[in-house]
Structure formats: structure tokens, C-alpha cells
């Protein structure tokens, strides 16, 4: 299953987000958004997305006990 960065919601293949360098990733996400041009995307501006890529719309902040 794909992992999404909890900070910027970008889908990540490895263990670190290439945008924000966070290692805080989640497999619990909902919805997908593909941004091809962050400067022209109205939805991207609304969600404060500054780089093209595939993003999760909602990422769950699950606590592991």
C-alpha cells in the first residue's frame, strides 16, 4: 500500500518525503489528487501545494500504542 507524508500529504515510495524530508508517513489515507502545475492549480492553491505530484486528500494521524 502507498504511504503518504503526514506533513505535506505527498505520496512517498521510500522512507522519506522528498519535499519536506519528513519520515513521518502513514498508510492510512483517503482520496487522491494529482497536481501537474502547482502554480495554475486552484485546488493546489487552496490546499497550499507548491510542487507537482500525487497527494492524499486526507491522511490519518494514527498513534501507535
Amino acid at each position: 500500500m502507498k504511504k503518504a507524508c503526514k506533513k505535506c500529504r505527498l505520496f512517498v515510495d521510500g522512507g522519506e518525503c522528498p519535499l519536506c524530508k519528513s519520515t513521518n508517513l502513514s498508510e492510512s489515507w483517503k482520496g487522491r489528487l494529482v497536481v501537474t502545475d502547482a502554480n495554475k492549480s486552484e485546488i493546489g492553491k487552496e490546499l497550499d501545494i507548491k510542487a507537482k505530484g500525487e497527494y492524499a486528500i486526507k491522511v490519518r494521524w494514527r498513534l501507535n500504542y
Side-chain angles (χ1 to χ4, degrees):
M1 178 171 228
K2 284 191 169 199
K3 292 182 181 180
C5 175
K6 290 182 181 180
K7 186 175 179 182
C8 66
R9 299 185 310 267
L10 180 71
F11 283 112
V12 177
D13 289 326
E16 180 181 271
C17 178
L19 288 180
C20 68
K21 306 300 181 199
S22 173
T23 57
N24 197 4
L25 309 175
S26 177
E27 291 182 352
S28 182
W29 53 268
K30 288 188 178 186
R32 253 181 222 181
L33 174 67
V34 178
V35 176
T36 56
D37 188 345
N39 295 324
K40 293 182 180 179
S41 172
E42 292 298 321
I43 296 172
K45 289 176 188 175
E46 188 74 27
L47 296 174
D48 198 30
I49 293 174
K50 297 184 179 11
K52 72 176 185 175
E54 186 178 4
Y55 293 84
I57 294 174
K58 182 177 181 180
V59 179
R60 181 182 288 196
W61 287 75
R62 184 183 313 181
L63 297 175
N64 295 326
Y65 292 92

